[in-house]
Amino acid sequence: MTTVSDTPAAPPAERTATPATWAWTALGVAVVLVLAWATRWLDHHLPLETKGTSYAKYVGAIEYPVYAIALGLLGNVILTVTGLRDRLSGAFRTEFFIKTGLVLLGASINISLIWKAAGPAIVQALVLITGVFLFTWWIGGLFKLDSKLRALLASAVSICGVSAAIAAAGAVRARKEQLAYAASLVIAFALPSIFILPWLADTFGLSDAVAGAWIGGNIDTTAAVTAAGALAGDDALKIATIVKTTQNALIGVVAVALSAYFAFKVERDPNAQRPGLKTLWDRFPKFVLGFIVASGVGTWYANAVSAADAKTTIGVVNDWRVWFLVLAFVSIGLEFRIGALKEAGWRPVAVFASATVANLGLGLALASLLFAGFTVT
Amino acid sequence: MSESPTPSAETSPEVAQATRLAFSEDWAATVVGLVLLVLVLTGVVTQGLVP
C-alpha cells in the first residue's frame, strides 16, 4: 500500500490549523489541480497535434501517468527553488487521491474477477511478504542497521511502501527521521520502477495477468503500482490492483506481529499488553472494503441495466477515476525528496536495493507460477 | 477518529500524527469514492459534469 503514498515522502509536521495554513493548503490544491489539468490537456492534445509527423509514434506511446509524474517533478523543482514547497505540501495527498481512485476502479472490475484472483493473490502475498520481509531483516542485520529502521525498511519493501512503513513505525515506536528516511527510499525506488517494470514485462513477453501480478507484488507504493499497471494495459492494471490490495490488507497482520516482537523480544517490556483483534482492525486499510463494495455495486449495476447504459455510466465513473489517479501521480512527483536519502548514508540504500532485487526475482517466479494461464475477463 | 490507533507514549508526535492521517485518509477515500459512485449511478453526476 498504498497503500503509494500511500506516499508522503516525509511524515507531515505537526500543524496548527490557522487561517494562513488553510490559505497555503488551498494554494497547494490549486497547484495540484492546474498540473492535473495540464496532464489531461497534454494527454488529449499532443497526439492530435503531432498526428502525421515523425513524432506521432513516440507521443502515442506516452500515457497520462508519464505526463503527470513529469509535471509533478517539474513543479517540485520550481516550488523547492522558490521556497514554497513545504508550505503547500498539505495539499499533496497522494494516499487520499490514489485510494479514492482505486475505490472508483473497483466499479469497473467484475466481482467474479476479484473472487477468481483472490486465491493466487493471497498465496503470492503471503509467500512474497514473508520471504522478502525476512530477507530484508536478515540483510539489514548484516549491514548493522538499527533494528527499528530494519523493521521499517522490511515492511516497506515487502508490503506496500509508505503505508506499511507508517504502520510499522507506530508498532515499533520508530523516530520520525527513520520514517521520513524509509518513505524517501520507497519513492526513490518506486519512481523508476513505474517505467522499468512494464518495459521488462513487455520484453519478457509476460501475459497481462502475470505482468499485473508481478507489478502488483513488486512495486512498493500503491500509487506507483497503479501508474505502472496503467502503462502495462487495462487488464494488467486490474490484476496489479487486486494483488496490491491483497498485500495492503495484510498490513495489519504485520503491524501486530511487529508490535508483539518489539514489545516482548527487543525491548523486553514486562508490562506490554499483547496486541489483539482491535489492533488488527485499527491497522486494516479501510479503502480495501470500499474497493470490494464498489466492485459489488458495479457488477450489480451492469447486470441490472442494458449493456449500452452500463458502458456509458461506468465510463463516467472511469473518467472520475482517471482524474483521481492523475492527482495522485502529480502528487508523487511533488512529494519526492532527495534530502533525507543524502543524510542517511549508503548502507540503508544498499539494503533496500538488495531487497528490491530479491523481491523482483521471487515476485516474477511466483507470478509466473500462480497466474500462468489466468484469463482476465 | 475511533479507528486511529492509540500512539504509545514513546512514539514521536510526528509518527503518531502520520499514523492518524494515514488511517483517516483510508476512511475519507472510501467515503468519497463510494459517494461519487452512487451519484454517478443514480444520474446525479453525468458526463457533462466531469471536468
Side-chain angles (χ1 to χ4, degrees):
Chain A
M1 148 180 92
T2 345
T3 153
V4 79
S5 310
D6 4 336
T7 49
E14 196 82 52
R15 285 194 186 89
T16 310
T18 62
T21 311
W22 284 110
W24 283 116
T25 303
L27 189 59
V29 170
V31 169
V32 174
L33 287 174
V34 166
L35 292 176
W37 176 84
T39 297
R40 297 218 72 179
W41 190 90
L42 288 172
D43 187 43
H44 182 73
H45 283 90
L46 271 192
L48 298 175
E49 298 291 334
T50 56
K51 199 171 182 180
T53 70
S54 55
Y55 300 110
K57 66 176 179 181
Y58 301 111
V59 170
I62 302 174
E63 305 213 29
Y64 69 91
V66 180
Y67 293 122
I69 293 167
L71 287 175
L73 287 170
L74 183 64
N76 187 336
V77 171
I78 294 170
L79 294 178
T80 303
V81 169
T82 54
L84 290 172
R85 207 187 71 132
D86 286 343
R87 290 177 175 174
L88 305 184
S89 63
F92 308 156
R93 300 259 68 95
T94 308
E95 288 262 332
F96 169 72
F97 295 139
I98 198 68
K99 288 171 180 174
T100 308
L102 291 182
V103 170
L104 292 169
L105 174 65
S108 60
I109 297 180
N110 194 298
I111 193 89
S112 65
L113 179 62
I114 296 180
W115 179 250
K116 194 167 72 161
I122 290 170
V123 172
Q124 175 171 316
L126 288 174
V127 176
L128 206 54
I129 288 174
T130 309
V132 176
F133 187 99
L134 293 177
F135 176 81
T136 314
W137 182 264
W138 169 74
I139 202 161
L142 284 186
F143 280 83
K144 301 189 184 337
L145 295 190
D146 172 82
S147 59
K148 292 180 179 177
L149 183 58
R150 282 166 75 189
L152 262 60
L153 295 183
S155 302
V157 78
S158 66
I159 314 171
C160 59
V162 179
S163 293
I166 290 172
V172 306
R173 301 170 181 178
R175 286 180 285 115
K176 63 168 182 168
E177 294 81 7
Q178 292 174 319
L179 177 55
Y181 182 60
S184 302
L185 264 180
V186 164
I187 311 246
F189 277 76
L191 275 179
S193 304
I194 291 170
F195 307 102
I196 292 172
L197 259 69
W199 173 72
L200 280 177
D202 189 41
T203 304
F204 294 160
L206 303 183
S207 69
D208 287 337
V210 173
W214 192 39
I215 288 168
N218 278 270
I219 299 182
D220 295 326
T221 80
T222 308
V225 164
T226 311
L231 293 178
D234 207 37
D235 287 346
L237 171 62
K238 289 177 180 173
I239 296 298
T241 304
I242 293 170
V243 167
K244 196 67 193 169
T245 307
T246 307
Q247 283 193 353
N248 281 330
L250 292 169
I251 286 180
V253 177
V254 175
V256 167
L258 279 174
S259 295
Y261 182 77
F262 270 73
F264 295 113
K265 294 282 184 186
V266 178
E267 293 168 351
R268 297 177 186 280
D269 180 357
N271 300 317
Q273 290 184 335
R274 200 169 289 278
L277 283 177
K278 183 176 182 309
T279 313
L280 203 60
W281 168 246
D282 286 341
R283 307 284 182 184
F284 185 81
K286 314 300 186 297
F287 85 94
V288 173
L289 300 177
F291 174 76
I292 294 170
V293 169
S295 174
V297 171
T299 305
W300 164 80
Y301 184 82
N303 290 328
V305 301
S306 69
D309 285 348
K311 190 178 176 187
T312 304
T313 309
I314 296 298
V316 178
V317 177
N318 286 341
D319 272 349
W320 281 106
R321 179 240 296 180
V322 170
W323 266 105
F324 275 98
L325 298 188
V326 168
L327 292 170
F329 302 151
V330 164
S331 298
I332 287 186
L334 287 168
E335 284 184 326
F336 180 61
R337 285 174 197 265
I338 202 77
L341 298 181
K342 288 181 181 167
E343 289 168 16
W346 64 272
R347 284 183 300 138
V349 178
V351 169
F352 206 88
S354 307
T356 300
V357 171
N359 199 5
L360 281 171
L362 182 57
L364 181 58
L366 284 168
S368 302
L369 188 70
L370 294 166
F371 285 86
F374 191 96
T375 51
V376 184
T377 51
Chain B
M1 293 173 75
S2 60
E3 76 279 7
S4 302
T6 307
S8 88
E10 295 175 42
T11 305
S12 73
E14 289 84 356
V15 170
Q17 197 211 12
T19 308
R20 279 196 301 275
L21 196 63
F23 289 97
S24 299
E25 283 185 336
D26 266 13
W27 274 125
T30 302
V31 171
V32 171
L34 289 178
V35 167
L36 196 49
L37 174 62
V38 169
L39 291 176
V40 173
L41 296 188
T42 54
V44 175
V45 172
T46 56
Q47 181 70 51
L49 292 177
V50 180

